[in-house]
Amino acid sequence: MTTDLVCNRCKFDIPLDRTHCPHCGDGRLCPNVRLADAIEEKTALENRYRVALHLTSNRASVVQQFEAAVATSRAVMGASLNKLIPLATGFYEVYATYYDLVDLRFLRPPTAGEPDWAKRRPQAEIELLGSAKHIDKLHYAALSLNGKSLPSYGECTVLLKDHMIAHRASAFEGNSALFIDRKFLDFPLGWRATWTERAKLCVAKLASRLTVSTQSHDFPEILLKPGANGLDDDFIEVHVFGEMTIRTFEKVIVPKSGNKAGPGKRGRTKRGGTNPKVIRDYCQQHNVACEIL
């Protein structure tokens, strides 16, 4: 009996035991995208976008250049070696989510001045997904124009393939869990967007920071700016619904040595003497670019 099945979207084989493609997530309804694509949400985003254009009409040329640039922005994840190594060594077949890792470790209490992520993250995900049913199905990334990620999320950088995530990705104004912690309110309408409308969200949030002297080389740091600590990171958050594998990745950058991730809620320190070449070899096996810097 022939049981081979090839995904219509990404053309990779789908294992027999899967009900959707584990590489690109095709075949699954994505509640985060459905909510971002709701009429009320899109209308509110359009209104914010137009207000931002009106308020910056005296520098319209710069804003137009910025909008064109961020329309090409990519989804980039910061990741620790400890999160990539299990994938490269076969411990995981799919890239681990936040909840996968929680199941494998003891949760430490929040430090002074730090939000209780174990509470705030699920609360934010209920807002992003509309219910608690699929809160363990989200991966987090950030929009980037230069391929750089946020050090507070890990010492490695993973660039995701657009065509593997665009249909299942949504974007939010910033760190959604931190918003819940600081505001403790429902998300305002117009603060999220589908992948195809991410440029409007970027303009709505960031157009006011552009000046007549802003140059195109300034755009990357305006879009994504690491803070003094992870709580001060300034970025557009990307949510990718469903599983990811090495085939979802376009490029992986790992450090030569186990650099400690920057401060923040998801930073991890490399333990032991794991050789990052294991990740490079695994990427090469699957035709994924990998750099050791």
Side-chain angles (χ1 to χ4, degrees), residues 26-214:
D26 197 31
R28 169 176 284 180
L29 293 175
C30 304
N32 58 312
V33 177
R34 293 175 64 185
L35 287 174
D37 201 37
I39 293 176
E40 298 87 352
E41 195 73 59
K42 295 182 69 172
T43 299
L45 176 60
E46 182 69 23
N47 290 338
R48 289 189 66 209
Y49 167 72
R50 293 190 177 279
V51 168
L53 293 181
H54 175 72
L55 294 176
T56 57
S57 59
N58 64 329
R59 47 197 187 277
S61 177
V62 175
V63 175
Q64 289 171 4
Q65 292 176 43
F66 178 73
E67 182 176 359
V70 295
T72 68
S73 59
R74 308 293 302 278
V76 175
M77 299 188 301
S80 67
L81 278 170
N82 288 339
K83 194 172 181 181
L84 290 175
I85 288 294
L87 183 66
T89 56
F91 186 80
Y92 287 127
E93 291 185 0
V94 295
Y95 187 67
T97 66
Y98 169 79
Y99 294 95
D100 292 328
L101 298 180
V102 165
D103 289 341
L104 296 175
R105 67 175 185 263
F106 293 110
L107 285 176
R108 63 174 177 79
T111 58
E114 181 184 39
D116 187 344
W117 301 113
K119 293 181 179 180
R120 298 300 181 239
R121 174 50 55 202
Q123 291 168 339
E125 286 168 340
I126 290 173
E127 290 294 322
L128 294 171
L129 297 168
S131 74
K133 185 175 181 179
H134 297 295
I135 62 173
D136 59 342
K137 300 297 190 297
L138 283 183
H139 292 279
Y140 291 87
L143 290 182
S144 176
L145 284 173
N146 56 8
K148 292 184 178 181
S149 61
L150 293 165
S152 57
Y153 286 73
E155 66 269 36
C156 304
T157 297
V158 177
L159 176 66
L160 302 177
K161 295 177 181 176
D162 282 3
H163 72 280
M164 301 291 262
I165 67 162
H167 56 294
R168 54 181 174 141
S170 57
F172 185 73
E173 186 94 356
N175 186 323
S176 52
L178 194 58
F179 177 86
I180 288 289
D181 186 73
R182 291 176 174 175
K183 305 292 185 181
F184 208 70
L185 300 168
D186 295 338
F187 291 160
L189 287 174
W191 275 45
R192 66 178 115 191
T194 60
W195 181 257
T196 55
E197 294 201 319
R198 65 192 186 282
K200 288 187 177 181
L201 181 62
C202 294
V203 170
K205 175 185 177 180
L206 300 169
S208 62
R209 304 184 193 180
L210 305 172
T211 69
V212 292
S213 60
T214 301

